[in-house]
DNA sequence: CTCTTTATATCGACTGTCGATATAATAAGA
DNA sequence: TCTTATTATATCGACAGTCGATATAAAGAG
């Protein structure tokens, strides 16, 4: 544990995926709602471009970290694809949080003002 | 102050540039040495690919944040281009540090485990 | 006199985001 | 009823930045 650190070059991908996975962990359902959730919860600080969000969800699904399922729209209602973390996704989320903590623990002393 | 936050999509660029600027602030001179400095100081956690580092230095120079000067090699010695933060670069470094602090302050509650 | 190290630089491939656009169903309003 | 706004998923080309490889060259070591 706490071995691998997030490398700067993968920070963007990692941060966005973590935001998505954490939102799903909180119970967010489909993509569009997830985007609203993140925006609202962050007070507008974090916003997902749809052209960014959907590829992320597809990527995570392909890697088996989230499972998507189309809602049954026989009783009317818009088509939606709901996502949930898989068991592997839960583990990955824990590991990614730890990787970020570790990254920051290492990164900050490197850029902090000299005393 | 403390208004703008670092957006996830610019994290990679921002982190690498911050590592470079902070290293120059500590007094590192030319590119190759800067790379060794960062690697050593981080205990190997952060390493600069040369194909990444030199474009960063050129970028920062073009933006007027660092000033580069070729060493006078009339008295022998390898050709080196030494870099130093400009006054604007110093200000930018302070602002970037603050932006990162702010990013993390906002990011962490978004991804932290629910209690 | 050859090999390694120091040093800067660029190149093509690749990944991921951005903003725009497409599609379509439902709800709201005139 | 017709039209517009909202909800919702998806893809596209352009762009930026990193990666690993390669080029170049001077200095020091063997």
């Amino acid at each position: 544990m706490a071995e691998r650190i997030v490398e700067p070059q993968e920070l963007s991908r990692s941060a966005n995926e973590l935001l998505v996975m954490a939102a799903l962990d909180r119970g967010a359902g489909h993509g569009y709602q997830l985007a609203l959730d993140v925006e609202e919860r962050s007070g507008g600080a974090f916003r997902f471009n749809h052209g960014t969000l959907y590829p992320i969800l597809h990527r995570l699904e392909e890697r088996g970290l989230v499972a998507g399922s189309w809602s049954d729209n026989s009783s009317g209602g818009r088509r939606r694809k709901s996502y949930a973390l898989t068991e592997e996704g839960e583990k990955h989320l824990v590991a990614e949080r730890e990787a970020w903590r570790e990254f920051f623990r290492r990164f900050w002393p490197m850029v902090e003002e000299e005393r």
Side-chain angles (χ1 to χ4, degrees), chain A:
Chain A
M1 272 293 130
E3 251 300 288
R4 184 178 82 81
I5 71 151
V6 177
E7 298 279 349
Q9 58 272 16
E10 38 172 291
L11 245 45
S12 159
R13 201 190 101 254
S14 171
N16 279 330
E17 289 184 1
L18 190 47
L19 283 171
V20 167
M21 288 192 295
L24 292 179
D25 196 44
R26 285 194 298 272
H30 58 281
Y32 192 82
Q33 187 166 56
L34 195 151
L36 295 178
D37 269 28
V38 168
E39 181 162 359
E40 196 183 354
R41 210 184 146 88
S42 69
F46 299 116
R47 253 164 283 113
F48 271 114
N49 189 310
H50 292 163
T52 301
L53 176 60
Y54 289 110
I56 289 173
L57 286 168
H58 299 160
R59 226 152 65 207
L60 294 176
E61 191 178 14
E62 206 178 4
R63 283 198 266 155
L65 303 174
V66 308
S69 58
W70 287 99
S71 68
D72 173 34
N73 62 336
S74 56
S75 57
R78 267 170 245 93
R79 77 201 222 285
R80 287 174 174 177
K81 195 172 181 183
S82 283
Y83 292 93
L85 285 179
T86 62
E87 215 167 303
E88 214 191 313
E90 298 272 7
K91 279 183 213 158
H92 190 71
L93 171 56
V94 171
E96 281 297 294
R97 267 200 280 250
E98 178 54 31
W100 258 91
R101 227 187 310 261
E102 179 68 6
F103 162 75
F104 208 71
R105 198 178 69 74
R106 299 236 197 197
F107 180 68
W108 201 246
M110 293 294 292
V111 302
E112 207 174 15
E113 194 177 3
E114 298 280 273
R115 281 141 300 160

